[in-house]
Amino acid sequence: MKLIKVGAKYYLLIFEENIDGQFQIIDESVYDYSELTDSSKKMIESGDFDLFLVDLRLKGDLEENLNTTKLSGSKIAKKIKTKNKGNQVVVFTASNKAWNMKALLEMYEDGYDIGVDGY
């Protein structure tokens, strides 16, 4: 895994697949934070990041019919916020479902982005 540095800030991207080789990422397809590898948990818990970007559905279509609070990215983002309420977490997805955005913002995520055409 690789830190992404922009100016004096460090970022960590959590996504279920590599995006055209642009980033080295935590590319684990999991349902919950507890399923992440120890090395991924250690990286997340290190406190060395200014921003966490998390895909809403790390299991893709397997999570199509789940409530927003049960989606893998939602659970992982919530755990990141639980570790430190000051952590900035942005959840992104290709979904345009307004109820996802509303539920995520109520769960303390700091932002929400809807991807378009392959991000």
Side-chain angles (χ1 to χ4, degrees), residues 4-17:
I4 302 168
K5 184 175 182 185
V6 179
K9 302 282 185 177
Y10 288 93
Y11 302 93
L12 175 64
L13 178 62
I14 302 172
F15 194 71
E16 86 273 21
E17 62 184 284

Side-chain angles (χ1 to χ4, degrees), residues 21-100:
Q22 296 176 16
F23 303 102
Q24 185 172 351
I25 57 178
I26 293 177
D27 58 353
E28 298 179 37
S29 180
V30 298
Y31 282 112
D32 197 281
Y33 187 88
S34 64
E35 296 178 10
L36 290 169
T37 62
D38 289 341
S39 62
S40 293
K41 289 179 198 173
K42 186 175 181 178
M43 177 180 264
I44 292 168
E45 294 169 9
S46 70
D48 293 336
F49 302 101
D50 299 298
L51 177 67
F52 293 85
L53 302 172
V54 183
D55 187 5
L56 181 60
R57 295 188 328 184
L58 296 170
K59 292 296 245 181
D61 290 340
L62 295 175
E63 298 183 89
E64 188 172 334
N65 296 315
L66 293 179
N67 179 288
T68 306
T69 60
K70 302 294 185 194
L71 296 172
S72 55
S74 176
K75 292 190 287 186
I76 288 174
K78 187 170 185 174
K79 183 71 169 187
I80 291 169
K81 291 295 283 188
T82 300
K83 295 285 182 188
N84 179 344
K85 289 185 181 187
N87 285 335
Q88 299 297 300
V89 178
V90 175
V91 176
F92 63 96
T93 185
S95 170
N96 63 357
K97 298 173 181 165
W99 59 85
N100 283 336

